[in-house]
Amino acid sequence: MFGKLVAAAAAALWLALAPVTAEAAGPEDTLVMETTKGRVVIALRPDLAPQHVAQVKKLVADKFYDGIVFHRVIPGFMAQTGDPTGTGMGGSDLPDIPAEFSQEPFERGTVGMARAQDPNSANSQFFIMFDEGSFLNGQYTVWGEVTEGMDVIDQINKGEPPANPDKIVTLRLASEAN
């Protein structure tokens, strides 16, 4: 009897400490992004970037991203958003986040945090990879992964900036999305 309790407790502890992966993300670690092109689902990766995920969740709760355009969309590379000015130079009023670089590779569907030259300058802007981008590995923070809707991301209007930019209509935690 005691052995079964110890085994059950050990299994529960292992599950509690196991990293959250994109496949295992629950509604509190999943974002639903409605864009002008359609719906995108993003699994958050607090196991890789807990401070970045916390900042994104705070901005989502404040509805910061609602109405923000995709201001830099480069075919074969990525779609970038998160700047309220739409210029690529803006951010939120929250403090910048220290880098949380990992060995997680930048691949199609990876969500990374944009930053200036200073590695500790990430704030609110993020990008979604159209394709593999190994040259970014270890230099930018990975904080999420698109699990549904890459076909939607592929349709985002291209340009730096696009002539007619698409935008985030709403961005919510799955636990709060309709």
Side-chain angles (χ1 to χ4, degrees), residues 25-34 39-45 52-53 56-61 65 111 126 143-148 170-175 177:
E28 290 299 319
D29 281 319
T30 303
L31 297 177
V32 177
M33 179 169 62
E34 296 293 341
R39 182 176 186 257
V40 178
V41 178
I42 299 170
L44 299 173
R45 295 293 307 269
H52 285 71
V53 167
V56 168
K57 282 182 167 183
K58 168 81 171 110
L59 292 169
V60 167
Y65 291 108
V111 183
F126 65 90
W143 61 263
E145 177 184 335
V146 173
T147 58
E148 294 176 36
T170 60
L171 185 57
R172 300 286 182 272
L173 282 172
S175 60

Side-chain angles (χ1 to χ4, degrees), residues 55 59 92-98 120-124:
Q55 181 123 326
L59 292 169
S92 77
D93 292 334
L94 297 177
D96 289 346
I97 316 162
N120 300 312
S121 61
N123 185 279
S124 63

Side-chain angles (χ1 to χ4, degrees), residues 153-164:
I153 297 300
D154 289 337
Q155 296 173 42
I156 300 288
N157 290 334
K158 312 299 187 275
E160 295 183 67
N164 184 23

